[in-house]
Amino acid sequence: MAFSPKAKRTPKNKDGKGAQNLPRPQKDAYARLLNQHQNGKFRSYLQEFVDQQSEENATTLVSRSDANRRKKGHSESSYFNDSVSSPQSRLMLADTSNSCHEDKTFHQVTCAEDPGTNPGMLEKLHKGSAPKKASAKLKKSEKDIKASTSLVGSEEGDAQQLSGSCGEEKARKKSKKKSSKGHLEKKDKGACGLEVDAAVAEKSANKNVKAPQASKGSRQNDKKDINAKDGRGSGKQVFEQYMSVEDVSAGLKRGELIQGVLRINPKKYKEAYIPSPDGSADIFLDGISARNRALNGDVVVVKILPLEQSEAPKTPDVIVEAHYNGDDEMVSKMEKVSLNDKALPTTQSVERASACNTLASSSDKTTQKNGKVVFIVEKKHSRAVSGFLKFLPNKNFAMFSPVDHRVPRVNVPLADCPADFTSRPGDYENTLFICRITQWPADSNFAEGRLAKTLGQAGEIEPETEGILTEYGVDFSEFTEEVLNCLPQDLPWSIPAHELSTRRDLRKECIFTIDPATARDLDDALSCKQLSDGNFEVGVHIADVSYFVKEGNALDELAGQRATSVYLVQKVIPMLPRLLCEELCSLNPLTDRLTFSVIWKLSPEGKILSEWFGRTVICSCIKLSYDHAQSMIEAPDKHFSPEELPTCSPNHSIIEIQEAVLNLHNIAKQLRAQRFEGGALRLDQLKLSFTLDKESSMPQGCYVYQYRDSNKLVEEFMLLANMAVGHQIYRSFPEMALLRRHPPPQTKMVDDMQEFFDQMGLDIDFSSSGALHRSLNENLGDDEYTAARKEVITHMCSRPMQMAVYFCAGALKDEKLFRHYALNVPLYTHFTSPIRRYADVIVHRLLGASLNCGPRLSVSGEEVHQQASHCNDRKTASKRVQELSSELFFAVFVKECGPLDSEAMVMGVLDQSFDVLVLRYGVQKRIYCNSLEGLKEVQFHKVGKKPEMMLVWESDDPSKDSIKQEISIFTLLNVQLKADGAPMKYSATLKRPLTLM
């Protein structure tokens, strides 16, 4: 931001008199400081200062500043697919790509979740009744709010605050001293740099100003108020007060307010979105004030701003938390119940939302609706964050700067800090802490909180991992005695005789597991026996976890709270105690185990001739890895020796096991072909795997995992079992069945994507899931880079996709809404992984009750719905934790083994940066043009929706012309990954071309 030196006239106050407190040289000094720093703190300070000193000048400065920021923000969103997909985005694809199959290779459900809206009961609403609306005198104008909140969460502000020099600090103090003449002063005399709280600057600015109509008494009260509020703002409203519960309930009923899950852009923390209920473009929340202290993932109520405050459609840059329309989940019979009742609030019914989608006018479709948060229904964000402490001299608090810049900075009491923090703050510059936000006052840019824990040195895997787990609310504590007492106490445990008598005995059958070689929680097994008529008896046998986890006991309650196991690169955080996960329930070889089975009679073509469900007992004959099964598939005539395979039961030969694997493979191919002919969709994504040192658990290497026929074999039969069980429990319990649905992609985004691909000359058909699948597997070329092009297009196609979610069947009246878009099936559920997913435990109970081989259900439909929403939340959190764990290990790998060179393919182009898929490692990174050495010029333009860039490089030979390099979608580049100075960070840079383009 630059200011003209000509603007030197004395500003006038509203009463027409010249400003007496601000001589001309003083104002110029602030302009010079702003030019030096280009810092959010100084922008905020200057804007607020000038606002109150000079109305005319302030209008000019603010409009110029805001215009520049808007211009930059819009240009940075200038290509439709303008994001590097985070791993979360890739996992969002995985639901559609892997058709909600449990990809055990990574010990994770590949169906990415979005936090269920789960608005909760009245007691789950923002605690305490919402305060009354602030009077007009207390409210800031929108301009003032934007100015005063420009620093919150700013990565730029943090970095530049740390880098401030002593000279700059002294100049700022000198200016402050001059401008505070005749008013209350509070000087900070510490060292320079990070010691100055941004709130101090804001206070000083407010203290300098004499309100035109303020009395002497009121000014004295203001001074007392300022002194009483350490670290807060000026005592004025930075954020609007929340609406009352009654007003929110009425507004939701009338459709004047909209409820949804807040998603904050992690690369542009001022941008946030919630889904639009009519299927059009997401509702945009512009700036921190519009979020009104809500954090990422919170369920919020939003008021749409007038059309004149809306703008052209803005494509989100990177939204790692994927989205879905939470209104679809609301219990329709509760639509008319107010927030004051113990029921779920809802904005409108699914039918009404569908009608809005159909009847939306073209003008609505082309205008970006803007909104602001007026109420927080549920604080889904944990309010716990990892970050660093900054010492503030002469303060009784320290500033905590979160690693996640979407979270505000937090003032924490010095009493919470290490004993020698005040005397030796430099010793803690690289120490990670956990802070829990306790409150965020409406009159402060900063939240307030307490330090919870010291994690250790930043950059080390275990402290970083613990920080990630804490931030996302993952319970990694040890299981209590009360919980462990729910397990069998007489060990080793054996199946009671009375239990054996009630089950189908399959212990003599050839049943085996296929899992990753390192897996220890084996919850599914397969069997395949050829019948005399040429058909096959195929069984899927799932660990009977519900036998050990009794409904309502302490173990069940804890499992319901955890909802899912969390698989990190180096370890697992189990949902259930290890005695259950790895022993009692794990289908270990040569051991009798209790199971729940689905057994079909199938033709060789995969046609289902009959179906049976029931409780069983099995004894797995061998534990195969995916590699073992793949070897059998690739060498069907090979005779494997006992030394080539794990220990095998003497009752079954290796040849028998190999024949069963091959028969399952052949049937799976038929089932797979039928699925895709029937309109299923799969969006494949590259997945990074690591080899770890056994002693240190540090990454020794990494590679892109290959999804092979052995994985597909297991996938097909797990899908078949999940669909079969979904139909069974819905037939028996149409109001209580826990099912899984996948809504179709967002209409507006699909339309934009279709236009984009048309201009790119790509024949991509979005008319149905099957048409999209066929498009992605045809006409993409036939060369060594076909897979890379497909990966890039897959990433683009993921953007309109919504999340697959659990739901209670009684929550939706229209069965059409039950459908799973990616699988293209009417009913689906999760049954096959009860060791690591609590939803599957509920489904097991429903299945047992439906077959009269289990206890009667004691839960209500509303309780099932609440648990389904909670499972959605926890699965989303676990997915994000898994992604961050992978990113953490890859950053360590780059640091230890880098720089790493690789080919890369361009995935998207912005005006000053572009995104690439690094082919060797399957990671996606953004390359910033201003970081490229030797680059003279960047020329950006768009042809329709197609963005293109020309890079002009300096030539090594001054006598030769500059080197020009074209950058567009699918361009192949040579890139280098290298560690950054910050812990656990790495960047990608473009290697300079050697020849003229």
Side-chain angles (χ1 to χ4, degrees), residues 16-35:
K17 297 179 181 180
Q20 302 299 316
N21 295 340
L22 184 60
R24 180 164 40 186
Q26 180 65 39
K27 192 180 77 171
D28 289 346
Y30 278 100
R32 287 197 299 273
L33 276 175
L34 184 74
N35 285 330

Side-chain angles (χ1 to χ4, degrees), residues 6-28 30 46-61 209:
K6 296 180 181 179
K8 295 185 179 180
R9 62 172 179 257
T10 303
K12 293 184 179 182
N13 290 329
K14 291 182 180 179
D15 59 4
K17 297 179 181 180
Q20 302 299 316
N21 295 340
L22 184 60
R24 180 164 40 186
Q26 180 65 39
K27 192 180 77 171
D28 289 346
Y30 278 100
L46 183 65
Q47 279 187 315
E48 186 161 351
F49 186 88
V50 179
D51 277 348
Q52 299 179 37
Q53 291 291 324
S54 170
E55 183 177 285
E56 180 181 356
N57 232 17
T59 303
T60 303
L61 294 175
V209 180

Side-chain angles (χ1 to χ4, degrees), residues 942-959:
K942 294 182 72 173
V943 180
K945 286 186 175 291
K946 182 182 178 181
E948 294 179 344
M949 177 185 289
M950 179 69 73
L951 303 182
V952 182
W953 298 83
E954 294 177 351
S955 175
D956 292 333
D957 186 348
S959 64

Side-chain angles (χ1 to χ4, degrees), residues 561-573:
Q561 290 169 11
R562 293 194 174 193
T564 180
S565 294
V566 180
Y567 291 87
L568 309 173
V569 171
Q570 78 277 33
K571 61 184 176 182
V572 59
I573 311 298

Side-chain angles (χ1 to χ4, degrees), residues 533-549:
D533 58 4
N535 294 314
F536 294 89
E537 183 180 87
V538 175
V540 170
H541 314 278
I542 307 300
D544 192 356
V545 175
S546 62
Y547 173 83
F548 296 96
V549 182

Side-chain angles (χ1 to χ4, degrees), residues 736-754:
M736 291 181 58
L738 177 62
L739 301 173
R740 187 166 177 79
R741 58 186 291 269
H742 182 208
Q746 292 185 328
T747 306
K748 174 65 172 64
M749 293 185 72
V750 165
D751 293 342
D752 289 345
M753 185 68 71
Q754 187 72 70

Side-chain angles (χ1 to χ4, degrees), residues 278 351-365:
D278 63 3
E351 291 82 359
R352 205 181 324 159
S354 300
C356 289
N357 191 25
T358 304
L359 300 175
S361 67
S362 59
S363 62
D364 290 338
K365 293 287 186 178

